[in-house]
Amino acid sequence: MKKKILITGGAGFIGSHVVRLFVNNYPNYEIVNLDKLTYAGNLANLADVEDKPNYRFIKGDIVDAAFIQELFETEQFDGVIHLAAESHVDRSIANPTEFVFTNVIGTVNLLNAAKHIWKDNREGKRFYHISTDEVYGSLGKEGFFTEETGYDPHSPYSASKASSDHFVRAYNDTFGLPTVISNCSNNYGSFQFPEKLIPLFINNIRNNKALPVYGKGENVRDWLWVVDHARAIDVIFHKGELGETYNIGGFNEWTNIDLIKVICKKMDKKLGREAGTSEKLITYVKDRAGHDLRYAIDATKIKNELGWEPSLQFEEGIEKTIDWYLANEEWMNNVTSGDYLKYYEAQYQER
Ligand code: NAD
Ligand code: DAU
């Protein structure tokens, strides 16, 4: 079936994997990637699909309501997969307002535009909002986040994502907008901006720079290979029930310090350095403000109802990921030059 699908934030980390999967797997779909190209958006992430006949890129800002309204009226999308966001917790602590604009107002602008163009016919239409497990807050040593867990966000980032989730549900409840939401755990893989733990540490090890571990490194995250997240998004977009929420996770919990030691060991081998060299770069620094202790997703619902499971074990995924960053030095050097350097200096200056 022919469909025109808008993917927002398609030049970012997860968005580029989603665009790639949809462009390659659905030649009948017209995929439109709308991205503002902030520091996190990079068209080099999509070099392998940019010439495909079913792919188009539009540069634009979801915060610009008039532009979004006009875009939807002109393009008459059948579906929206909304990933565009400010996504980094530390940046949300430094500048919360930007997160309100993009994550809350940007999402509401998209909801309004979809509501408007689908007002007479909602058959086959779908607004899919991509969210995070951080909206559920923090777990103690036991338990998992399920779809029924109450929202309890702690950072400006997670508060803005929680707010956007509430707006999506409100548009479903109030206006009957055909929506679906998923909340995913930490992703890792190729094309992730090196402000996030895994690519930052791989790059710092490569350059013999300190590895700034927040607090004692005891915080726990549940890591999922980004391609498996994109596969889950495909399944939910096509088979998820409207009005529902699906949790996506890797059943793969690591304390930060254990994960970092795995990366250090593998990097020593790959770089031909003496065992223990990279671990010496570990530097404990001031903890992140409001740092959530533990995230862990119960992904039973998506497994039982939609048949999705992670395809890759972590051991293989992290190996592939390290290899990718080592083989793509030019990509890394491009994104770590310029403005990124200023961010890095400011973020880590007093630690
Ligand atoms: P990212 O920061 O790598 O990419 C975000 C993209 O959105 C960039 O291409 C950026 O240019 C674009 N963008 C930002 N502001 C925009 C605006 N105003 N208008 C248009 N485009 C704009 O983020 P990511 O890690 O790929 O995350 C994508 C989505 O998935 C986000 O909604 C995030 O909350 C969610 N998520 C991320 C993770 C993770 O581990 N990274 C896990 C769960 C959910
Ligand atoms: O859980 C899903 C979320 O995962 C997504 O919604 C976010 O967009 C994404 O950024 C990610 O959030 P985290 O804050 O968990 O990811 P980050 O890579 O920033 O940090 C992972 C852990 O590592 C966290 O406990 C903080 C710690 N950390 C991070 C950095 C950047 C350090 O110890 N040192 C660092 O320099």
Side-chain angles (χ1 to χ4, degrees):
M1 225 230 298
K2 282 197 177 301
K3 272 184 199 287
K4 193 192 274 193
I5 297 168
L6 175 71
I7 299 181
T8 71
F13 166 48
I14 302 171
S16 62
H17 286 276
V18 175
V19 166
R20 178 173 300 103
L21 185 150
F22 273 74
V23 167
N24 287 332
N25 289 6
Y26 300 101
N28 281 342
Y29 290 1
E30 192 180 332
I31 303 299
V32 179
N33 171 15
L34 171 69
D35 200 297
K36 184 181 172 184
L37 300 182
T38 67
Y39 77 93
N42 183 354
L43 289 178
N45 298 356
L46 289 164
D48 56 330
V49 294
E50 68 187 3
D51 293 330
K52 300 263 174 155
N54 61 338
Y55 171 72
R56 203 148 44 95
F57 173 69
I58 296 175
K59 185 173 186 306
D61 187 347
I62 60 170
V63 178
D64 182 345
F67 161 72
I68 291 295
Q69 196 70 26
E70 199 186 320
L71 179 75
F72 274 64
E73 276 171 19
T74 311
E75 299 281 352
Q76 294 292 318
F77 301 113
D78 300 300
V80 176
I81 305 178
H82 173 38
L83 296 110
E86 286 293 335
S87 70
H88 191 42
V89 174
D90 293 323
R91 288 187 193 249
S92 83
I93 296 166
N95 180 12
T97 312
E98 197 59 36
F99 285 67
V100 179
F101 283 126
T102 294
N103 298 1
V104 185
I105 295 174
T107 301
V108 174
N109 287 341
L110 293 165
L111 289 166
N112 282 335
K115 170 174 165 277
H116 176 68
I117 64 161
W118 297 341
K119 63 183 183 305
D120 297 324
N121 180 13
R122 289 174 179 161
E123 195 56 39
K125 312 291 191 249
R126 176 165 294 226
F127 187 105
Y128 179 7
H129 176 63
I130 308 300
S131 192
T132 169
D133 60 357
E134 299 202 11
V135 298
Y136 297 124
S138 185
L139 292 163
K141 293 228 176 304
E142 303 288 317
F144 295 91
F145 297 134
T146 73
E147 289 78 1
E148 273 72 51
T149 304
Y151 276 31
D152 182 23
H154 297 138
S155 72
Y157 163 67
S158 53
S160 69
K161 291 297 289 187
S163 171
S164 64
D165 293 10
H166 290 320
F167 272 103
V168 174
R169 282 199 193 93
Y171 272 60
N172 179 268
D173 293 342
T174 310
F175 306 115
L177 194 75
T179 63
V180 64
I181 300 177
S182 59
N183 296 79
C184 189
S185 63
N186 286 61
N187 285 214
Y188 70 95
S190 52
F191 300 114
Q192 186 169 33
F193 195 82
E195 62 192 351
K196 308 280 164 61
L197 181 76
I198 292 181
L200 177 71
F201 278 34
I202 292 172
N203 194 40
N204 281 11
I205 292 171
R206 186 174 67 108
N207 294 310
N208 277 308
K209 281 170 76 175
L211 304 177
V213 178
Y214 297 165
K216 295 182 180 155
E218 286 169 350
N219 304 68
V220 176
R221 298 292 183 265
D222 171 4
W223 293 94
L224 178 70
W225 188 41
V226 62
V227 174
D228 279 329
H229 188 189
R231 286 177 50 247
I233 289 172
D234 180 7
V235 170
I236 293 167
F237 183 72
H238 289 101
K239 298 203 289 184
E241 209 166 306
L242 292 176
E244 287 293 314
T245 291
Y246 296 89
N247 280 356
I248 309 168
F251 290 111
N252 178 43
E253 291 182 52
W254 287 86
T255 61
N256 291 338
I257 194 65
D258 286 348
L259 174 71
I260 290 159
K261 286 183 178 168
V262 167
I263 296 173
C264 286
K265 283 200 180 72
K266 287 187 183 292
M267 291 285 289
D268 282 345
K269 273 205 188 127
K270 286 177 195 292
L271 296 173
R273 294 180 183 168
E274 196 186 322
T277 308
S278 300
E279 277 194 27
K280 290 196 190 115
L281 297 170
I282 291 175
T283 312
Y284 292 91
V285 299
K286 194 173 106 198
D287 208 354
R288 173 186 277 174
H291 198 173
D292 288 332
L293 177 67
R294 176 172 165 254
Y295 304 144
I297 281 278
D298 178 348
T300 309
K301 178 176 172 182
I302 183 173
K303 182 178 174 200
N304 289 350
E305 295 185 11
L306 305 180
W308 174 90
E309 278 184 282
S311 70
L312 200 66
Q313 293 301 308
F314 185 70
E315 179 66 21
E316 198 185 329
I318 195 70
E319 194 79 31
K320 264 169 139 34
T321 301
I322 295 173
D323 288 344
W324 188 87
Y325 286 102
L326 292 179
N328 288 276
E329 262 187 46
E330 200 184 322
W331 180 92
M332 183 61 92
N333 291 339
N334 280 340
V335 297
T336 52
S337 57
D339 280 352
Y340 173 81
L341 281 180
K342 284 186 222 141
Y343 162 78
Y344 191 84
E345 276 153 25
Q347 171 65 17
Y348 295 100
Q349 68 184 347
E350 74 221 19
R351 292 172 185 276

